[in-house]
Amino acid sequence: MKLALAGVPFTSEHIDALTRLAARHGSELTCFASGSSLTPSALEDYDALLGFFPPNTVKALPRLRWVQTPSAGVDHLRGVIDPGRTTLTNASGAFGIPIAEYLMAGLLMLYRRMPAYLNNQRVHIWHPEGSTRAIYGSVVTVVGMGDIGENFARRMHAMGAHVRGVKRSPGEKADYLEALYTTEALAEAVDGADTVALCLPATNETEGLISEAVLRRMKAGAVLLNAGRGATVDEDALIRALQDGHLGGALLDVTRVEPLPTDSPLWEMENVIITPHVSGSNGDPFCYNIIFEIFKDNLERFLTGSPLKNVVDVSAGY
């Protein structure tokens, strides 16, 4: 069995542990350094790929049986994996806590007008910026109740918010949720919400899900948080809702086009916080240690013929 490892944030100790594990099962794991040629011809004899590899290469490998990504999102492999031949697994479970903390930080900054105070600090202005808001007692709708959404919803509940959840399929309502909706009832779920947090993957079903009609159902002055994927939001409608004051602010770790074009009006809005898709970085030791454990466990399972964990439903996209 030949296995390739590339594009991972692991330490040398992590890589050595995976290499020894493969060897114990009579298999060979090759770690490709940054800048290595990851072409179909270079990888045509490999049975499994662990890490980030060019989608065109992944698609062209005839004997490929397994792909393990270090990310939770797999939209970069959309249309690439043949589920009848290759199993795709992700690193879901590694990012929920850091991204939930990121969302909390951004929401508190917007509620407490911190961007304005940071600007004042730079130019030495001592001036109150008006009333602030509290998470306690507010209505927070979390759209997407996977690892990230669940972690954020739990923390909002702990801070005294009235939390609503939105998921694709009906299910049992968790204790930390006051209500649980399906995506078909999304407009109702965001109706009157003070904050809407998007924790969605990019799939055919979520493309443009947050439409102008959905944005307008949110409470006047509400805040939108997006740490899922930019393609889930009608960005032009979002810009209009921010410009005319219907929305009070936005935290955007993702945008429809990344990097965000320099001429986007979002850059100049004082009530918008933009970060470059870093809310759940696999370069964070908290994240990459969990990613390593996921890789290690699934590698053991693959080599022993046991069921893999974190298997992605390729048709659904997550």
Side-chain angles (χ1 to χ4, degrees):
M1 195 84 70
K2 292 188 68 175
L3 314 139
L5 183 72
V8 292
F10 298 156
T11 65
S12 58
E13 289 79 10
H14 287 148
I15 294 171
D16 288 345
L18 295 176
T19 303
R20 291 194 302 271
L21 173 58
R24 285 201 303 272
H25 292 280
S27 298
E28 176 188 355
L29 185 144
T30 302
C31 181
F32 288 84
S34 176
S36 297
S37 176
L38 299 175
T39 62
S41 59
L43 296 166
E44 61 183 354
D45 295 331
Y46 283 80
D47 302 278
L49 305 179
L50 292 80
F52 284 124
F53 293 82
N56 289 339
T57 294
V58 175
K59 190 173 185 177
L61 301 180
R63 60 180 290 175
L64 188 62
R65 294 172 49 197
W66 173 42
V67 175
Q68 169 73 60
T69 74
S71 60
V74 294
D75 42 299
H76 62 292
L77 295 175
R78 188 187 298 185
V80 170
I81 299 293
D82 175 3
R85 176 170 57 91
T86 305
T87 300
L88 175 62
T89 56
N90 67 8
S92 180
F95 304 100
I97 291 174
I99 296 181
E101 291 181 355
Y102 164 91
L103 292 169
M104 291 172 66
L107 179 58
L108 286 167
M109 287 183 69
L110 291 168
Y111 269 19
R112 296 291 168 173
R113 300 185 181 272
M114 289 302 173
Y117 287 116
L118 288 171
N119 287 334
N120 288 352
Q121 179 182 338
R122 293 187 189 100
V123 292
H124 303 185
I125 293 177
W126 183 282
H127 176 71
E129 290 294 333
S131 62
T132 58
R133 302 163 67 179
I135 290 173
Y136 185 89
S138 69
V139 176
V140 177
T141 298
V142 182
V143 186
M145 292 301 297
D147 177 42
I148 297 166
E150 178 184 338
N151 271 285
F152 182 63
R154 286 181 180 276
R155 284 155 177 76
M156 290 294 96
H157 171 73
M159 295 183 73
H162 304 286
V163 186
R164 306 168 179 171
V166 181
K167 59 185 298 187
R168 180 188 182 197
S169 304
E172 184 177 353
K173 182 180 72 66
D175 291 343
Y176 53 85
L177 297 177
E178 292 198 357
L180 179 63
Y181 300 82
T182 62
T183 49
E184 285 75 14
L186 177 60
E188 181 183 353
V190 305
D191 188 26
D194 297 283
T195 298
V196 173
L198 307 180
C199 307
L200 294 165
T203 69
N204 292 333
E205 291 183 354
T206 62
E207 174 80 24
L209 183 67
I210 310 303
S211 63
E212 180 141 22
V214 170
L215 292 169
R216 297 289 169 176
R217 286 289 291 270
M218 295 166 60
K219 181 186 289 186
V223 168
L224 182 77
L225 316 174
N226 193 1
R229 288 293 185 268
T232 63
V233 180
D234 181 336
E235 202 162 277
D236 291 336
L238 172 61
I239 290 170
R240 288 192 294 272
L242 287 162
Q243 288 175 331
D244 66 24
H246 175 69
L247 291 183
L251 170 69
L252 306 174
D253 188 47
V254 291
T255 54
R256 179 166 289 274
V257 176
E258 295 180 3
L260 180 65
T262 56
D263 61 352
S264 171
L266 292 167
W267 286 112
E268 305 300 327
M269 295 183 183
E270 294 184 356
N271 59 343
V272 175
I273 300 173
I274 297 169
T275 53
H277 207 142
V278 295
S279 62
S281 171
N282 59 15
D284 179 341
F286 180 91
C287 294
Y288 69 62
N289 282 314
I290 297 176
I291 295 170
F292 167 72
E293 293 299 332
I294 292 170
F295 271 51
K296 182 181 177 184
D297 182 39
N298 262 350
L299 178 57
E300 179 89 45
R301 290 170 175 273
F302 179 72
L303 295 173
T304 58
S306 301
L308 297 173
K309 291 185 176 180
N310 285 16
V311 175
V312 173
D313 180 342
V314 173
S315 62
Y318 57 92

